[in-house]
Structure formats: structure tokens, C-alpha cells
């Protein structure tokens, strides 16, 4: 059985041809799946019954099942999905005034093990397929209704996207193809912990979508303590990769920086950050640490975050404080879990 959402447009075309159908069927099928978001081939009423039967014998449409939906007081919605092998992942729908964003997962769990991240505690199980990534979008869009169109997608859920490059790339192709999900490349952001070969590959193969880097520290000494992968890809190598990256003022690189009290939030850190990003078109996103019982860090105070932000602005670096959405349902950054046990610890 082919999982039809694993196929980009070209592959869908080949699949349709191999079944002996006319070429124009590809567009029709893509539109039923990605625009009308049907769940079965039987709903494809402009395709003959016999052809629908052949399709359903050879391919499958949905690969996820919604297990639970939680809604935050701020309107954010968290979805718990079950995969065909029983594993579970989460996605977060974040409504804004003028647009809607979906935060998707790319792996079941995560192998990186950042010290402040709750997702890391579940360990790593496996990569998601392209269909499992794309299906998060389709299921959430079906649930929230077509009048609340998801325009933005951030690859900031569970997992490290660049350790699953092929499938992430395929998912982006499906999301941006005009006959498929038809999202604007500028409205898709991929966030990496700093896997340097992934950044270089994105520069060549996917540079129309936006890049975000979870930097979180300005010295290797501190970064190694909170992001273990820093031993493999230290700050200097990450910054060198960002300098090679084809960014400009329109398509700036987002630097993510989680604010941990007394760890990485001093004015000296802010000044070091200014030096690190000098000459690179960036926008800094300061993320207030989302704490949880037993967390090994404390969130920086609002005043300290603002002080840090001011240093950046003083040096003409755009810096914003990320609004932590969906905290009451553990949907904020780093809170997504694969195991549905105690939601907060
Ligand atoms: N693996 C990718 C994608 C995850 S994006 C990456 O590291 O970029 C999620 C963002 O939330 C990352 O910047 C991550 O470091 C951050 N994060 C993780 N746990 C957090 C927490 N408890 N509070 C605030 N931000 C957190």
C-alpha cells in the first residue's frame, strides 16, 4: 500500500501513470486530498467507481488518528495523534489575529537531549514519514474549519528536522506545491538545534523557506552544558554555516534564544551575541523558559529579558520576546510529549 501523502507531485504523477490512468487525474487526486481534504477515495466523485476501487486497493490517504484535542484559554489547541504503529506525537495550532500557525513534529521524541527541554525526556523512537508530517496539517485544518486557514507552518514541534532531512524536504514540497497545500515558502520556518550539514544542505535545496537556529548561548562552555550537540557542532561552526547561508534582509535567519536565569541571560551574553551575529541578517527571538516541576533551570525575569533585548536593539539587531502560547495545556515550546503520562513532569 502506498501512503499517498508520502508522494510529492512528481511521484504522484508516476504513481497515477503506473496505475494506467490519464495524466490529468494527478491534479484531480491532489485536489481532492489537499484542497478538499477527503478521507477516502470514494469521495472523489469526478473519478469513475472502477478507478476509485483501483486507487483504494493500492493507496491509503490518512496515516494519523486524532487521540485527544486540548484547548488553551488563549485559543491555542494541542493535538495528540496516534501513528499506525501505535507511537504518539503532538502538534500545536496557534491562532493569531491575522493568521494561523501550525507547529509540526518531525520525529517521535528527539535524540538531541537539550537539558531544558521536556520532549527530550521521552528519548527518541523514530523519524516521521513525509505523510505523517503533512497529515498533521490536514487533520488540524479539518478540525479548526476551512474559515480558519492555516497559513504558517513552523517545524518546531518534537524532534530535530535536520536529522530527518529527506522527509522534511518532501513534506515542504507537498506543502508548497500549488496543486497540493499551496502554502507560501516565506510562511514556513524550519528550526534546527544547529546541525551544520543540515544548514548547508538547506542552503542548497530548500533556501526559499525560513531557517531558525536554536542558539541559546554565546560561549561553547555554557552551550555544551545545555545543548549536548554543541560538542559536535560548536558555536563557531554554526556561525560559519550561517555566514555561508543565502540570507538577506527579507529572508532573515531567526536566532532562537531560551532565557535561563543566571545561565545565559546577562548583559555580557547579549553583547557577545551582538558580536556573533555581526554581518548576518538575523532576527532574534528571545524565548521565556517554560518551566515545569523539577526543571533544572529557572526562567529569567521579565526585566532581565527586556534588558537583554535592549542591548540587542541598541546595536540595531531586531529582537522580539516570544509570546508563550498554550502554557496551561503544556503546548508551549519544549513541552510536547510522546508519552501520555503526567502532562507536566
Ligand atoms: N529541534 C529543533 C526544533 C525544536 S523548536 C530545535 O532545536 O530548534 C523548539 C524550540 O523550543 C527550540 O528552540 C527549543 O530549544 C526550545 N525549547 C525547548 N524546551 C523549552 C522550554 N522548556 N522553554 C522554552 N523553550 C524551549
Amino acid at each position: 500500500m502506498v501512503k499517498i501523502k508520502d508522494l510529492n507531485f512528481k511521484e504522484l504523477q508516476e504513481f497515477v501513470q503506473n496505475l494506467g490512468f490519464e495524466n490529468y487525474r494527478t491534479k484531480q487526486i491532489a485536489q481532492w486530498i489537499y484542497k478538499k481534504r477527503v478521507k477516502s477515495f470514494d469521495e472523489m466523485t469526478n473519478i469513475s467507481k472502477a478507478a476509485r476501487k483501483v486507487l483504494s486497493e493500492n493507496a491509503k490517504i490518512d496515516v494519523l488518528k486524532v487521540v485527544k484535542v486540548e484547548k488553551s484559554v488563549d485559543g491555542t489547541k494541542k493535538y495528540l495523534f496516534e501513528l499506525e504503529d501505535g507511537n504518539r506525537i503532538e502538534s500545536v495550532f496557534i491562532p493569531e489575529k491575522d493568521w494561523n500557525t501550525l507547529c509540526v513534529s518531525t520525529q517521535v521524541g528527539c535524540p538531541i537531549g537539550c537539558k531544558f527541554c521536556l520532549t527530550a525526556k521521552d528519548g527518541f523512537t523514530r523519524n516521521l514519514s513525509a505523510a505523517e508530517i503533512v497529515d498533521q496539517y490536514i487533520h488540524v485544518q479539518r478540525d479548526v474549519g476551512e474559515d480558519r486557514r492555516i497559513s504558517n507552518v513552523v517545524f518546531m514541534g518534537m524532534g530535530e528536522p535536520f536529522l530527518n532531512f529527506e522527509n522534511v524536504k518532501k513534506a515542504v514540497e507537498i506543502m508548497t506545491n500549488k496543486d497540493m497545500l499551496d502554502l507560501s515558502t516565506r510562511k514556513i520556518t524550519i528550526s534546527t538545534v544547529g546541525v551544520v550539514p543540515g544548514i548547508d544542505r538547506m542552503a542548497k535545496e530548500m533556501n526559499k523557506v525560513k531557517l531558525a537556529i536554536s542558539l541559546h548561548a554565546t560561549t561553547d562552555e555554557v552551550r555544551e552544558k545545555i545543548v549536548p550537540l554543541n560538542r559536535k557542532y560548536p558555536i563557531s561552526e554554526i556561525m560559519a554555516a550561517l555566514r555561508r547561508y543565502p540570507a538577506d534582509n527579507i529572508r532573515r535567519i531567526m536566532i532562537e534564544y531560551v532565557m535561563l536565569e543566571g545561565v545565559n541571560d546577562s548583559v555580557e551574553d547579549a553583547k557577545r551575541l551582538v558580536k556573533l551575529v555581526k554581518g548576518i541578517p538575523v532576527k532574534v527571538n528571545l524565548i521565556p523558559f517554560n518551566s515545569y516541576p523539577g526543571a533544572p533551570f529557572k526562567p529569567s525575569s521579565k526585566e532581565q529579558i527586556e534588558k537583554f533585548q535592549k542591548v540587542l536593539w541598541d546595536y540595531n539587531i531586531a529582537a522580539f520576546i516570544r509570546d508563550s502560547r498554550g502554557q496551561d495545556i503544556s503546548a508551549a515550546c519544549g513541552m510536547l510529549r510522546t508519552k501520555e503520562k503526567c502532562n507536566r513532569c
Side-chain angles (χ1 to χ4, degrees):
M1 277 297 225
V2 168
K3 314 262 164 67
I4 210 150
K5 290 173 194 150
D6 266 332
L7 309 178
N8 62 20
F9 195 81
K10 196 166 156 273
E11 290 165 338
L12 184 62
Q13 222 159 14
E14 282 160 13
F15 172 73
V16 164
Q17 275 166 6
N18 287 342
L19 288 180
F21 298 151
E22 304 88 328
N23 211 5
Y24 71 89
R25 294 283 183 209
T26 310
K27 240 186 194 174
Q28 284 182 331
I29 294 168
Q31 289 191 345
W32 281 110
I33 289 173
Y34 295 105
K35 307 243 190 269
K36 301 208 174 75
R37 314 190 211 282
V38 298
K39 295 177 186 166
S40 72
F41 291 106
D42 262 343
E43 294 169 65
M44 302 183 175
T45 47
N46 58 359
I47 295 173
S48 75
K49 265 202 174 149
R52 271 151 35 193
K53 187 161 177 284
V54 173
L55 282 167
S56 59
E57 282 163 1
N58 287 281
K60 225 182 141 177
I61 299 182
D62 282 3
V63 293
L64 299 182
K65 253 198 335 241
V66 182
V67 176
K68 192 165 155 193
V69 183
E70 288 172 273
K71 192 167 178 189
S72 158
V73 287
D74 68 21
T76 300
K77 284 176 108 176
K78 184 169 79 167
Y79 294 79
L80 176 69
F81 292 110
E82 189 161 282
L83 314 177
E84 286 176 333
D85 61 5
N87 278 307
R88 290 176 167 200
I89 53 160
E90 292 185 318
S91 320
V92 182
F93 171 77
I94 309 151
E96 307 274 356
K97 196 166 150 276
D98 299 317
W99 69 87
N100 298 303
T101 302
L102 181 70
C103 176
V104 295
S105 292
T106 56
Q107 297 183 313
V108 182
C110 184
I112 303 291
C114 298
K115 297 289 183 249
F116 46 82
C117 179
L118 257 183
T119 305
K121 289 197 174 192
D122 291 340
F124 172 68
T125 305
R126 68 166 173 87
N127 279 337
L128 294 185
S129 63
E132 287 164 337
I133 299 172
V134 168
D135 225 9
Q136 296 172 54
Y137 182 100
I138 305 247
H139 275 81
V140 175
Q141 187 66 84
R142 277 183 196 146
D143 180 72
V144 299
E146 297 297 331
D147 51 340
R148 290 205 287 170
R149 184 80 206 277
I150 304 165
S151 50
N152 295 44
V153 174
V154 293
F155 286 73
M156 294 186 184
M158 296 175 184
E160 168 47 44
F162 286 170
L163 297 183
N164 186 15
F165 199 98
E166 286 299 329
N167 295 343
V168 165
K169 183 179 166 188
K170 180 86 66 79
V172 167
E173 286 167 358
I174 293 168
M175 286 175 179
T176 54
N177 185 290
K178 69 173 177 15
D179 293 310
M180 296 171 129
L181 287 176
D182 195 22
L183 297 176
S184 157
T185 49
R186 283 176 295 117
K187 294 185 177 170
I188 296 179
T189 305
I190 300 180
S191 177
T192 177
V193 69
V195 178
V196 169
I199 299 171
D200 285 335
R201 202 170 157 198
M202 178 159 164
K204 288 201 201 85
E205 300 176 27
M206 262 204 289
N207 66 43
K208 296 282 180 285
V209 300
K210 286 189 172 163
L211 172 64
I213 304 281
S214 294
L215 192 63
H216 302 329
T218 58
T219 65
D220 284 326
E221 199 196 340
V222 173
R223 196 166 190 269
E224 268 177 25
K225 285 192 190 130
I226 55 178
V227 181
L229 196 74
N230 197 69
R231 276 181 217 109
K232 193 160 179 193
Y233 305 115
I235 293 176
S236 57
E237 287 188 26
I238 295 173
M239 299 323 289
L242 298 190
R243 281 176 206 287
R244 295 193 286 272
Y245 194 84
D248 54 34
N249 274 330
I250 296 160
R251 222 175 291 266
R252 286 193 229 178
I253 298 169
M254 183 198 287
I255 303 285
E256 294 166 282
Y257 198 98
V258 62
M259 299 295 288
L260 306 169
E261 187 181 77
V263 176
N264 63 357
D265 64 346
S266 68
V267 164
E268 289 70 46
D269 279 305
K271 288 185 177 158
R272 271 195 296 268
L273 183 54
V274 170
K275 280 206 186 121
L276 282 175
V277 301
K278 199 162 186 268
I280 308 174
V282 296
K283 159 174 100 175
V284 176
N285 224 291
L286 302 173
I287 314 177
F289 172 56
N290 295 306
S291 199
Y292 45 89
F297 301 101
K298 287 205 185 90
S300 305
S301 66
K302 192 162 177 277
E303 298 78 67
Q304 192 60 29
I305 299 177
E306 282 168 1
K307 226 190 227 176
F308 195 101
Q309 181 187 30
K310 186 169 180 306
V311 175
L312 298 175
W313 277 115
D314 284 347
Y315 286 91
N316 287 323
I317 292 171
F320 305 92
I321 301 171
R322 187 178 287 180
D323 196 11
S324 271
R325 301 282 301 265
Q327 261 174 328
D328 54 330
I329 53 163
S330 293
C333 295
M335 315 289 280
L336 304 184
R337 306 299 300 261
T338 57
K339 302 191 173 65
E340 210 211 346
K341 42 190 178 199
C342 164
N343 228 0
R344 289 202 135 259
C345 40

